[in-house]
Amino acid sequence: MTAAGSDIVGLSGVEKQFGAVRALDGVDLAVGHGERVGLVGHNGAGKSTLMQVLAGAVAADAGRITVMGEVLSGYSPARARQHGIRCVFQELSVCPKLTVAENVRSFHPALRGFGGEKKAARLIGEMLDRVFPGHGISPGDPLRDLAIGQRQMVEVARAFTTVGEPLHLVILDEPTSSLDAQASAQLLAHMSRAAGEGIGIILISHVLAEVLGHVDRIVVMRDGRIATAGPAGEFDRQKLVRAMGSEEMPQSRSSAARARGGEVCVRARPRRDAKELVAHQGEVIGLAGLAGHGQTQLLRQVLQASSRGGETFRARPAAFVAGDRQNDGVFPRWSILENMTIRSLQNLKQGALVSPAREKAMADSWKERMGIRTPDMEHNILSLSGGNQQKVLFARALASEAPIILMDDPMRGVDIGTRQDVYSLIRSEAQAGRCFLWYTTETDELLHCDHVYVFHAGAIVAELPGADVSEEKIIQLSFQEPA
Amino acid sequence: MIEALRARPWTWSFVGAAGAFAATVAVLHGHGAAGIATAALALAVFMILAGVGQMFVITLGPGNIDLSLAANIGLAGAVSMTVMNGNDAGIGPGLAAAVGCGIVIGAANYLLIWLLRIPPIIATLSSSFIIQSVDIAYGRGLQIKPPTAFADFTSLQMAGVPLLAILTVLFTAGAAILLRRTIYGRSVLATGQNARAARFAGVAVGRIRAITYMVCGALGGLDGAFLAGYFRGANVDIGNEYLLASIAVVVVGGTSVAGGEANLPGIWGASLFMVLLLTMLNTFGAGAGMRLLLTGLIIVAVIALAGGRKPAR
Amino acid sequence: MTVSARHLRGFLPALSLALVLAAIAWLNPRAISYFGFNLMLSLALPIALATVAQMFVIAGGELDLSIGSFISFCGCVVATWLDQAPLTGVAILLAGILVYAGVGALIHLRNLPSIVVTLGMSFVWQGLAILVLPQPGGTAPDWLQSLMSLKPPFVPLPVVGAVLLALVCHLLLMRTGYGAVLRGSGGNATAVARAGWSLLKVKMTLFALAGLFGVLSSLALIGITTSADPNIGSNYSLLSIAGVILGGGEFVGGIVSPAGAVIGALTLTLAASPLLTFMHIPPDWQIGANGALLILVLAARARFSRPEAA
């Protein structure tokens, strides 16, 4: 019965269909003890679905699952847990109303009795110290008081905790998406430590640098199948991107050291005593720095002021593109079309009512411009893959004719193909005179900006022209204290 | 056809209404079927007016509900009768006063929710207590009859169909258009689905909520005036049955309690169903206890059959 | 949110209670006595038990609009069957709890909105109450009457009962592992399911607990009033919700506090009638004054409360 003796888990011929969508089209995958596997691919390639099958959350339509040599039927999350398989998904699985320790306690049935609270607190405290030294989280903190990055840290650390039961495989689905550079590096380092202890790791990430540098084997998925796989050393960035199915365009830096001119359209000062942000018409302004250091607050400040017309700057309409699309962007009951037009209804009126014809025209034209993949714009928005949903949010903002576009780290977890499409769109819109304020946690994207402001502790600590941007410099400036 | 029905669960309520009607007519051996239909339509109107108001509030998002509707309706009845004062000339001002009173109640409800950050259930509950007291003190012993023209208007029929019912059909059609094709309507739906996203998308969420509570209040006021006209006089308790009914017809009719999704035809179906159900039970000679028991069981059964909203993921 | 603000918020229910007590003491100093408290708080125990029942449901992120009529129904059963045919009476009450658990299961399995399901159930319980006891009447069993007229030394029975209740529920809900799971289900059900717990069992447990405390509330109520009527519990649905809210509970995401709920119930009991009578509010306006008081207390809470998102 034991197939590949040292494999923790093996999937063979796994298929899964959701309605008309073929999410998995015959996938074989095996992970051995102490092996780190990187799983990459477009949004919609099937990565998350594959992991959900692995973790027992979704039942495959066909195919065989073997765990620790045992062919399983009737798999479930509970059985996966029993076999030592843990999962950290993109949407957090922690209860915000409970404390950190309580979340750990409810995760381990063995801690149910009295005294379990203290054990849970100690357990998570130790693991947090191991994985994320210097984390600053107390086990008694209610989760809703923690920033999203800290919640992610708790969830990741929790996955590695054990109370006697076996831990063989940990699946991490975009674990660094809410973490800043420091925490991400700590997590990647812990991954190799864990692998050294015999724990298998599956890492799904869109940050190719993470995958290339920190796994033993890479598996590339495309359209529900494995496109290619092999030892990590055999791959480089370009090869990965090509295998995923899109051509990565060479990063074109914006024209070197362009003199900043034109009409000022945004002036904002995040903290009274610190530097001011100035944005001109037609500029793409980048907001950089460690995650959660005031960038999103500034965007919100500008958004609020623009609808009120404060003295901070001249009143001009601004449109917002959310990064956390579930909470800040998507209207889940509505169609793609309705999601797109909500910001522009004033312009779509004919008389007193919104004109369905004009709505459809707008939707069709933006569907083409953004390359949104869907057979029908009247379908529910959740029928789209994550990347396409993000495109709709962009279209919503861009279609609104607002001269200022605010972007709150909107490329998080979005595939390369979508990104390239959006980058070129931003460039052309900027050339047409629109102003972009772009908060991003990936230094690569800052290369597309004309001017970059670096944030630290809620204030702007530095600014530099886009042409001067480099990873080192940004990281250096990110740790600079405000004057 | 079963598939088509399943796809639109609220259509069950029309089926149920038809079933209850058929059962009643069968027991009576066909006598008075037309009269029953007319009476059902007339009574359904009052439930629908309250239901539409409640629907708009519920669509604003989870937790939004107006528990002050009953007290509102009661007070509006007293106010409208007092202002009309039995005079045909007073009909206009009377209606305006009732609607105005309702708008004030709606605004007060929203102020409690927004300024004092009280959850809508408690805010509207508290205000309902206050409104009730005002009604009792103000309307104590009120014996004013409605002006003849007004009372006649509320009972007017055209070929057996009450005029009010026809007007209400037009009204609900208008409300549906308001919801789907105006900026206000879209804003309500957006706010109900995801208030944060709505703000980011430029919707004035606070203003939309305020307007909606006032709309609900206004509809309650209108309903109270019509009820007083139909039943030839105001009384404090007249609104009581309409509170629970307004919530029931909204949800049985297919509007989501979590907000963001509204169903107007469903309110008609559910109201007709509830009215005909009660008529049927009355005809069968069921006592108060049996009536309540069966009504409750059927509401639960209908909802359980239809099933709820599947989680977003 | 700073630690001190969080703690202040936790003290608010106690503060509200203290304010109401202070007002009563100022208006009618003689009420602050063993006899006075026993009288003013006579209905406190049934209200507190009903509030705790509601609290369990709210902890799971749901709402129970039927607890009042359930208490009416159980009350009618207590005053008839429990007195005359105790075994049948007990069986019926237990069946009631099972039905409550069944409602929880139904809500979970069919993904139904609890407001509407419990609305429908309130009709059911009300109808059953009328069928059991069409006219006010019946007699409470002797043992129940004696229990509820106990006069413990120094501290009135309602206060003893309330403290006991708060303690038991606090231990159950806040100190056990499963209690945390129950509370977590209101905030993030997916997380609880992913951790391997059965959401179905969680829901059924919460509703069964609500049913149990509803039964206890009806026992306490009939023990005090010694007879029943089918409308006896009609205010309790909304009263219990108000009590949980006053006690610091929140609808969105199942934050509850057992101690807070009990304190909230006590505050309500005092504010609902004794305080108003001492303030010489005419009966016509007493209902309105209740509403105004509720608003005042919540306004005070808003001062200290952290603004919730959106």
PDB file of all heavy atoms in Angstrom, chain A residues 81 89 91 93-94 97-98 102 105-106 112 142 144-145, chain C residues 6 9 175 177 180-181 183 188 191 194-195 197 253 255 306:
ATOM      1  N   ARG A  81      -6.492  17.131   9.493  1.00  0.00           N
ATOM      2  CA  ARG A  81      -5.835  17.541  10.730  1.00  0.00           C
ATOM      3  C   ARG A  81      -5.250  16.342  11.448  1.00  0.00           C
ATOM      4  O   ARG A  81      -4.130  16.360  11.939  1.00  0.00           O
ATOM      5  CB  ARG A  81      -6.853  18.212  11.683  1.00  0.00           C
ATOM      6  CG  ARG A  81      -7.100  19.673  11.420  1.00  0.00           C
ATOM      7  CD  ARG A  81      -5.922  20.523  11.753  1.00  0.00           C
ATOM      8  NE  ARG A  81      -5.496  20.391  13.144  1.00  0.00           N
ATOM      9  CZ  ARG A  81      -6.016  21.044  14.163  1.00  0.00           C
ATOM     10  NH1 ARG A  81      -6.989  21.901  13.966  1.00  0.00           N
ATOM     11  NH2 ARG A  81      -5.564  20.861  15.382  1.00  0.00           N
ATOM     12  N   PHE A  89      -4.893  29.688   4.778  1.00  0.00           N
ATOM     13  CA  PHE A  89      -5.456  30.193   3.537  1.00  0.00           C
ATOM     14  C   PHE A  89      -5.325  31.695   3.443  1.00  0.00           C
ATOM     15  O   PHE A  89      -5.002  32.371   4.407  1.00  0.00           O
ATOM     16  CB  PHE A  89      -6.928  29.813   3.416  1.00  0.00           C
ATOM     17  CG  PHE A  89      -7.129  28.395   3.018  1.00  0.00           C
ATOM     18  CD1 PHE A  89      -7.708  27.501   3.892  1.00  0.00           C
ATOM     19  CD2 PHE A  89      -6.747  27.938   1.770  1.00  0.00           C
ATOM     20  CE1 PHE A  89      -7.902  26.185   3.533  1.00  0.00           C
ATOM     21  CE2 PHE A  89      -6.931  26.622   1.407  1.00  0.00           C
ATOM     22  CZ  PHE A  89      -7.511  25.732   2.299  1.00  0.00           C
ATOM     23  N   GLU A  91      -7.799  33.953   2.962  1.00  0.00           N
ATOM     24  CA  GLU A  91      -8.730  34.650   3.851  1.00  0.00           C
ATOM     25  C   GLU A  91      -8.471  34.113   5.248  1.00  0.00           C
ATOM     26  O   GLU A  91      -8.474  32.926   5.455  1.00  0.00           O
ATOM     27  CB  GLU A  91     -10.196  34.403   3.500  1.00  0.00           C
ATOM     28  CG  GLU A  91     -10.489  34.178   2.046  1.00  0.00           C
ATOM     29  CD  GLU A  91     -10.379  32.720   1.702  1.00  0.00           C
ATOM     30  OE1 GLU A  91     -11.084  31.900   2.293  1.00  0.00           O
ATOM     31  OE2 GLU A  91      -9.527  32.411   0.861  1.00  0.00           O
ATOM     32  N   SER A  93      -8.394  32.687   8.948  1.00  0.00           N
ATOM     33  CA  SER A  93      -9.254  31.757   9.670  1.00  0.00           C
ATOM     34  C   SER A  93      -9.204  31.997  11.154  1.00  0.00           C
ATOM     35  O   SER A  93      -9.214  31.060  11.933  1.00  0.00           O
ATOM     36  CB  SER A  93      -8.793  30.318   9.422  1.00  0.00           C
ATOM     37  OG  SER A  93      -9.271  29.869   8.202  1.00  0.00           O
ATOM     38  N   VAL A  94      -9.093  33.233  11.535  1.00  0.00           N
ATOM     39  CA  VAL A  94      -9.073  33.496  12.969  1.00  0.00           C
ATOM     40  C   VAL A  94     -10.327  34.260  13.351  1.00  0.00           C
ATOM     41  O   VAL A  94     -10.891  34.973  12.537  1.00  0.00           O
ATOM     42  CB  VAL A  94      -7.827  34.306  13.387  1.00  0.00           C
ATOM     43  CG1 VAL A  94      -6.612  33.418  13.374  1.00  0.00           C
ATOM     44  CG2 VAL A  94      -7.630  35.486  12.471  1.00  0.00           C
ATOM     45  N   LYS A  97     -13.118  38.233  17.391  1.00  0.00           N
ATOM     46  CA  LYS A  97     -13.620  38.628  18.703  1.00  0.00           C
ATOM     47  C   LYS A  97     -12.916  37.910  19.845  1.00  0.00           C
ATOM     48  O   LYS A  97     -13.033  38.309  20.993  1.00  0.00           O
ATOM     49  CB  LYS A  97     -15.132  38.351  18.793  1.00  0.00           C
ATOM     50  CG  LYS A  97     -15.915  38.870  17.627  1.00  0.00           C
ATOM     51  CD  LYS A  97     -15.755  40.368  17.424  1.00  0.00           C
ATOM     52  CE  LYS A  97     -16.548  40.808  16.218  1.00  0.00           C
ATOM     53  NZ  LYS A  97     -16.415  42.227  15.925  1.00  0.00           N
ATOM     54  N   LEU A  98     -12.206  36.834  19.501  1.00  0.00           N
ATOM     55  CA  LEU A  98     -11.504  36.123  20.573  1.00  0.00           C
ATOM     56  C   LEU A  98     -10.084  36.647  20.695  1.00  0.00           C
ATOM     57  O   LEU A  98      -9.568  37.298  19.798  1.00  0.00           O
ATOM     58  CB  LEU A  98     -11.474  34.618  20.265  1.00  0.00           C
ATOM     59  CG  LEU A  98     -12.835  33.936  20.086  1.00  0.00           C
ATOM     60  CD1 LEU A  98     -12.625  32.471  19.762  1.00  0.00           C
ATOM     61  CD2 LEU A  98     -13.660  34.072  21.340  1.00  0.00           C
ATOM     62  N   GLU A 102      -7.139  32.399  22.863  1.00  0.00           N
ATOM     63  CA  GLU A 102      -8.401  31.676  22.674  1.00  0.00           C
ATOM     64  C   GLU A 102      -8.490  31.099  21.283  1.00  0.00           C
ATOM     65  O   GLU A 102      -9.023  30.009  21.072  1.00  0.00           O
ATOM     66  CB  GLU A 102      -9.585  32.600  22.940  1.00  0.00           C
ATOM     67  CG  GLU A 102      -9.838  32.819  24.417  1.00  0.00           C
ATOM     68  CD  GLU A 102     -10.906  33.860  24.673  1.00  0.00           C
ATOM     69  OE1 GLU A 102     -11.117  34.721  23.794  1.00  0.00           O
ATOM     70  OE2 GLU A 102     -11.521  33.813  25.744  1.00  0.00           O
ATOM     71  N   ARG A 105      -6.519  28.050  21.389  1.00  0.00           N
ATOM     72  CA  ARG A 105      -7.172  27.013  22.189  1.00  0.00           C
ATOM     73  C   ARG A 105      -8.279  26.322  21.414  1.00  0.00           C
ATOM     74  O   ARG A 105      -8.435  25.105  21.474  1.00  0.00           O
ATOM     75  CB  ARG A 105      -7.747  27.668  23.438  1.00  0.00           C
ATOM     76  CG  ARG A 105      -8.147  26.666  24.450  1.00  0.00           C
ATOM     77  CD  ARG A 105      -8.683  27.366  25.653  1.00  0.00           C
ATOM     78  NE  ARG A 105      -8.957  26.409  26.696  1.00  0.00           N
ATOM     79  CZ  ARG A 105      -9.606  26.714  27.791  1.00  0.00           C
ATOM     80  NH1 ARG A 105     -10.019  27.947  27.970  1.00  0.00           N
ATOM     81  NH2 ARG A 105      -9.830  25.796  28.693  1.00  0.00           N
ATOM     82  N   SER A 106      -9.060  27.094  20.674  1.00  0.00           N
ATOM     83  CA  SER A 106     -10.146  26.466  19.926  1.00  0.00           C
ATOM     84  C   SER A 106      -9.614  25.680  18.742  1.00  0.00           C
ATOM     85  O   SER A 106     -10.320  24.878  18.154  1.00  0.00           O
ATOM     86  CB  SER A 106     -11.163  27.502  19.457  1.00  0.00           C
ATOM     87  OG  SER A 106     -10.517  28.622  18.926  1.00  0.00           O
ATOM     88  N   ARG A 112      -8.982  21.614  25.628  1.00  0.00           N
ATOM     89  CA  ARG A 112     -10.326  21.992  26.003  1.00  0.00           C
ATOM     90  C   ARG A 112     -10.539  22.189  27.492  1.00  0.00           C
ATOM     91  O   ARG A 112     -11.288  23.053  27.906  1.00  0.00           O
ATOM     92  CB  ARG A 112     -11.309  20.935  25.502  1.00  0.00           C
ATOM     93  CG  ARG A 112     -12.523  21.528  24.826  1.00  0.00           C
ATOM     94  CD  ARG A 112     -13.598  20.528  24.655  1.00  0.00           C
ATOM     95  NE  ARG A 112     -13.251  19.546  23.631  1.00  0.00           N
ATOM     96  CZ  ARG A 112     -14.158  18.767  23.046  1.00  0.00           C
ATOM     97  NH1 ARG A 112     -15.401  18.853  23.380  1.00  0.00           N
ATOM     98  NH2 ARG A 112     -13.803  17.879  22.149  1.00  0.00           N
ATOM     99  N   PRO A 142      -7.096  40.798  22.059  1.00  0.00           N
ATOM    100  CA  PRO A 142      -8.177  40.371  21.175  1.00  0.00           C
ATOM    101  C   PRO A 142      -7.749  40.596  19.746  1.00  0.00           C
ATOM    102  O   PRO A 142      -7.137  41.604  19.428  1.00  0.00           O
ATOM    103  CB  PRO A 142      -9.341  41.296  21.519  1.00  0.00           C
ATOM    104  CG  PRO A 142      -8.907  42.117  22.642  1.00  0.00           C
ATOM    105  CD  PRO A 142      -7.442  41.997  22.812  1.00  0.00           C
ATOM    106  N   ARG A 144      -9.159  41.484  17.118  1.00  0.00           N
ATOM    107  CA  ARG A 144      -9.614  42.627  16.342  1.00  0.00           C
ATOM    108  C   ARG A 144      -8.835  43.886  16.668  1.00  0.00           C
ATOM    109  O   ARG A 144      -8.953  44.878  15.985  1.00  0.00           O
ATOM    110  CB  ARG A 144     -11.095  42.871  16.582  1.00  0.00           C
ATOM    111  CG  ARG A 144     -11.392  43.174  18.013  1.00  0.00           C
ATOM    112  CD  ARG A 144     -12.866  43.254  18.206  1.00  0.00           C
ATOM    113  NE  ARG A 144     -13.172  43.495  19.604  1.00  0.00           N
ATOM    114  CZ  ARG A 144     -14.185  44.214  19.995  1.00  0.00           C
ATOM    115  NH1 ARG A 144     -14.974  44.753  19.119  1.00  0.00           N
ATOM    116  NH2 ARG A 144     -14.428  44.375  21.278  1.00  0.00           N
ATOM    117  N   ASP A 145      -8.033  43.841  17.742  1.00  0.00           N
ATOM    118  CA  ASP A 145      -7.197  44.997  18.052  1.00  0.00           C
ATOM    119  C   ASP A 145      -5.871  44.948  17.313  1.00  0.00           C
ATOM    120  O   ASP A 145      -5.082  45.884  17.398  1.00  0.00           O
ATOM    121  CB  ASP A 145      -6.922  45.079  19.565  1.00  0.00           C
ATOM    122  CG  ASP A 145      -8.175  45.490  20.338  1.00  0.00           C
ATOM    123  OD1 ASP A 145      -9.150  45.903  19.703  1.00  0.00           O
ATOM    124  OD2 ASP A 145      -8.148  45.380  21.575  1.00  0.00           O
TER     125      ASP A 145
ATOM    126  N   ARG C   6     -10.671  49.963  26.751  1.00  0.00           N
ATOM    127  CA  ARG C   6     -11.322  48.669  26.693  1.00  0.00           C
ATOM    128  C   ARG C   6     -11.904  48.297  28.053  1.00  0.00           C
ATOM    129  O   ARG C   6     -13.014  47.788  28.152  1.00  0.00           O
ATOM    130  CB  ARG C   6     -10.301  47.614  26.257  1.00  0.00           C
ATOM    131  CG  ARG C   6     -10.960  46.359  25.713  1.00  0.00           C
ATOM    132  CD  ARG C   6     -10.012  45.199  25.708  1.00  0.00           C
ATOM    133  NE  ARG C   6      -8.779  45.503  24.988  1.00  0.00           N
ATOM    134  CZ  ARG C   6      -7.652  44.808  25.161  1.00  0.00           C
ATOM    135  NH1 ARG C   6      -7.601  43.818  26.005  1.00  0.00           N
ATOM    136  NH2 ARG C   6      -6.568  45.115  24.486  1.00  0.00           N
ATOM    137  N   ARG C   9     -14.970  50.319  28.946  1.00  0.00           N
ATOM    138  CA  ARG C   9     -16.143  49.828  28.257  1.00  0.00           C
ATOM    139  C   ARG C   9     -16.732  48.639  29.003  1.00  0.00           C
ATOM    140  O   ARG C   9     -17.932  48.465  29.065  1.00  0.00           O
ATOM    141  CB  ARG C   9     -15.719  49.402  26.858  1.00  0.00           C
ATOM    142  CG  ARG C   9     -16.836  49.247  25.926  1.00  0.00           C
ATOM    143  CD  ARG C   9     -16.271  49.290  24.536  1.00  0.00           C
ATOM    144  NE  ARG C   9     -17.209  48.654  23.630  1.00  0.00           N
ATOM    145  CZ  ARG C   9     -16.867  47.799  22.694  1.00  0.00           C
ATOM    146  NH1 ARG C   9     -15.609  47.480  22.550  1.00  0.00           N
ATOM    147  NH2 ARG C   9     -17.762  47.277  21.918  1.00  0.00           N
ATOM    148  N   ARG C 175     -14.590  30.477  30.447  1.00  0.00           N
ATOM    149  CA  ARG C 175     -13.415  29.783  30.996  1.00  0.00           C
ATOM    150  C   ARG C 175     -13.203  28.398  30.403  1.00  0.00           C
ATOM    151  O   ARG C 175     -12.185  27.774  30.638  1.00  0.00           O
ATOM    152  CB  ARG C 175     -13.551  29.650  32.520  1.00  0.00           C
ATOM    153  CG  ARG C 175     -13.259  30.953  33.234  1.00  0.00           C
ATOM    154  CD  ARG C 175     -11.861  30.951  33.858  1.00  0.00           C
ATOM    155  NE  ARG C 175     -11.433  32.298  34.162  1.00  0.00           N
ATOM    156  CZ  ARG C 175     -10.693  33.036  33.364  1.00  0.00           C
ATOM    157  NH1 ARG C 175     -10.299  32.569  32.217  1.00  0.00           N
ATOM    158  NH2 ARG C 175     -10.359  34.248  33.701  1.00  0.00           N
ATOM    159  N   GLY C 177     -12.881  25.662  27.147  1.00  0.00           N
ATOM    160  CA  GLY C 177     -12.459  25.685  25.755  1.00  0.00           C
ATOM    161  C   GLY C 177     -13.664  25.709  24.823  1.00  0.00           C
ATOM    162  O   GLY C 177     -13.705  26.469  23.859  1.00  0.00           O
ATOM    163  N   ALA C 180     -15.214  29.028  24.426  1.00  0.00           N
ATOM    164  CA  ALA C 180     -14.560  29.915  23.468  1.00  0.00           C
ATOM    165  C   ALA C 180     -14.983  29.563  22.044  1.00  0.00           C
ATOM    166  O   ALA C 180     -15.173  30.439  21.202  1.00  0.00           O
ATOM    167  CB  ALA C 180     -13.041  29.817  23.611  1.00  0.00           C
ATOM    168  N   VAL C 181     -15.126  28.274  21.789  1.00  0.00           N
ATOM    169  CA  VAL C 181     -15.580  27.849  20.459  1.00  0.00           C
ATOM    170  C   VAL C 181     -16.978  28.390  20.203  1.00  0.00           C
ATOM    171  O   VAL C 181     -17.280  28.928  19.131  1.00  0.00           O
ATOM    172  CB  VAL C 181     -15.596  26.310  20.361  1.00  0.00           C
ATOM    173  CG1 VAL C 181     -16.216  25.868  19.057  1.00  0.00           C
ATOM    174  CG2 VAL C 181     -14.191  25.766  20.489  1.00  0.00           C
ATOM    175  N   ARG C 183     -18.369  31.012  21.465  1.00  0.00           N
ATOM    176  CA  ARG C 183     -18.317  32.448  21.232  1.00  0.00           C
ATOM    177  C   ARG C 183     -17.693  32.764  19.888  1.00  0.00           C
ATOM    178  O   ARG C 183     -18.106  33.684  19.196  1.00  0.00           O
ATOM    179  CB  ARG C 183     -17.525  33.143  22.339  1.00  0.00           C
ATOM    180  CG  ARG C 183     -18.335  33.411  23.584  1.00  0.00           C
ATOM    181  CD  ARG C 183     -17.506  34.128  24.617  1.00  0.00           C
ATOM    182  NE  ARG C 183     -16.393  33.355  25.083  1.00  0.00           N
ATOM    183  CZ  ARG C 183     -15.140  33.803  25.143  1.00  0.00           C
ATOM    184  NH1 ARG C 183     -14.858  35.020  24.748  1.00  0.00           N
ATOM    185  NH2 ARG C 183     -14.181  33.029  25.580  1.00  0.00           N
ATOM    186  N   ASN C 188     -16.492  34.306  13.561  1.00  0.00           N
ATOM    187  CA  ASN C 188     -15.919  33.779  12.323  1.00  0.00           C
ATOM    188  C   ASN C 188     -16.205  32.286  12.253  1.00  0.00           C
ATOM    189  O   ASN C 188     -15.408  31.466  12.663  1.00  0.00           O
ATOM    190  CB  ASN C 188     -14.410  34.041  12.303  1.00  0.00           C
ATOM    191  CG  ASN C 188     -13.815  33.729  10.940  1.00  0.00           C
ATOM    192  OD1 ASN C 188     -14.416  33.048  10.121  1.00  0.00           O
ATOM    193  ND2 ASN C 188     -12.612  34.227  10.708  1.00  0.00           N
ATOM    194  N   ALA C 191     -13.782  29.938  10.454  1.00  0.00           N
ATOM    195  CA  ALA C 191     -12.576  29.591  11.197  1.00  0.00           C
ATOM    196  C   ALA C 191     -12.834  28.430  12.131  1.00  0.00           C
ATOM    197  O   ALA C 191     -12.036  27.495  12.223  1.00  0.00           O
ATOM    198  CB  ALA C 191     -12.101  30.799  11.992  1.00  0.00           C
ATOM    199  N   ARG C 194     -13.079  25.298  10.171  1.00  0.00           N
ATOM    200  CA  ARG C 194     -11.779  24.867   9.677  1.00  0.00           C
ATOM    201  C   ARG C 194     -10.966  24.204  10.777  1.00  0.00           C
ATOM    202  O   ARG C 194     -10.139  23.355  10.513  1.00  0.00           O
ATOM    203  CB  ARG C 194     -11.007  26.066   9.134  1.00  0.00           C
ATOM    204  CG  ARG C 194     -11.518  26.514   7.790  1.00  0.00           C
ATOM    205  CD  ARG C 194     -10.383  26.842   6.864  1.00  0.00           C
ATOM    206  NE  ARG C 194     -10.902  27.406   5.612  1.00  0.00           N
ATOM    207  CZ  ARG C 194     -10.713  28.650   5.266  1.00  0.00           C
ATOM    208  NH1 ARG C 194     -10.011  29.455   6.031  1.00  0.00           N
ATOM    209  NH2 ARG C 194     -11.211  29.089   4.133  1.00  0.00           N
ATOM    210  N   ALA C 195     -11.206  24.648  12.019  1.00  0.00           N
ATOM    211  CA  ALA C 195     -10.466  24.041  13.124  1.00  0.00           C
ATOM    212  C   ALA C 195     -11.017  22.668  13.466  1.00  0.00           C
ATOM    213  O   ALA C 195     -10.531  21.992  14.356  1.00  0.00           O
ATOM    214  CB  ALA C 195     -10.511  24.945  14.347  1.00  0.00           C
ATOM    215  N   TRP C 197     -14.309  21.880  14.343  1.00  0.00           N
ATOM    216  CA  TRP C 197     -15.500  21.766  15.181  1.00  0.00           C
ATOM    217  C   TRP C 197     -16.743  21.683  14.295  1.00  0.00           C
ATOM    218  O   TRP C 197     -16.793  22.260  13.228  1.00  0.00           O
ATOM    219  CB  TRP C 197     -15.633  22.995  16.093  1.00  0.00           C
ATOM    220  CG  TRP C 197     -14.496  23.174  17.007  1.00  0.00           C
ATOM    221  CD1 TRP C 197     -13.438  24.015  16.841  1.00  0.00           C
ATOM    222  CD2 TRP C 197     -14.258  22.489  18.235  1.00  0.00           C
ATOM    223  NE1 TRP C 197     -12.574  23.910  17.892  1.00  0.00           N
ATOM    224  CE2 TRP C 197     -13.042  22.974  18.763  1.00  0.00           C
ATOM    225  CE3 TRP C 197     -14.958  21.503  18.940  1.00  0.00           C
ATOM    226  CZ2 TRP C 197     -12.515  22.525  19.973  1.00  0.00           C
ATOM    227  CZ3 TRP C 197     -14.428  21.056  20.133  1.00  0.00           C
ATOM    228  CH2 TRP C 197     -13.221  21.559  20.638  1.00  0.00           C
ATOM    229  N   GLY C 253     -21.104  39.831  15.256  1.00  0.00           N
ATOM    230  CA  GLY C 253     -19.910  39.095  15.626  1.00  0.00           C
ATOM    231  C   GLY C 253     -19.943  38.477  17.005  1.00  0.00           C
ATOM    232  O   GLY C 253     -18.938  38.011  17.500  1.00  0.00           O
ATOM    233  N   ILE C 255     -20.220  39.272  20.300  1.00  0.00           N
ATOM    234  CA  ILE C 255     -19.536  39.613  21.548  1.00  0.00           C
ATOM    235  C   ILE C 255     -20.557  39.588  22.661  1.00  0.00           C
ATOM    236  O   ILE C 255     -21.581  40.252  22.569  1.00  0.00           O
ATOM    237  CB  ILE C 255     -18.964  41.032  21.500  1.00  0.00           C
ATOM    238  CG1 ILE C 255     -18.018  41.173  20.338  1.00  0.00           C
ATOM    239  CG2 ILE C 255     -18.239  41.339  22.785  1.00  0.00           C
ATOM    240  CD1 ILE C 255     -17.294  42.483  20.366  1.00  0.00           C
ATOM    241  N   ARG C 306     -15.862  52.474  21.541  1.00  0.00           N
ATOM    242  CA  ARG C 306     -15.015  52.685  20.376  1.00  0.00           C
ATOM    243  C   ARG C 306     -15.921  52.725  19.155  1.00  0.00           C
ATOM    244  O   ARG C 306     -16.790  51.889  19.011  1.00  0.00           O
ATOM    245  CB  ARG C 306     -14.079  51.496  20.291  1.00  0.00           C
ATOM    246  CG  ARG C 306     -13.219  51.457  19.067  1.00  0.00           C
ATOM    247  CD  ARG C 306     -12.308  50.267  19.206  1.00  0.00           C
ATOM    248  NE  ARG C 306     -12.982  49.045  18.803  1.00  0.00           N
ATOM    249  CZ  ARG C 306     -12.505  48.225  17.891  1.00  0.00           C
ATOM    250  NH1 ARG C 306     -11.394  48.502  17.302  1.00  0.00           N
ATOM    251  NH2 ARG C 306     -13.144  47.120  17.580  1.00  0.00           N
TER     252      ARG C 306
END
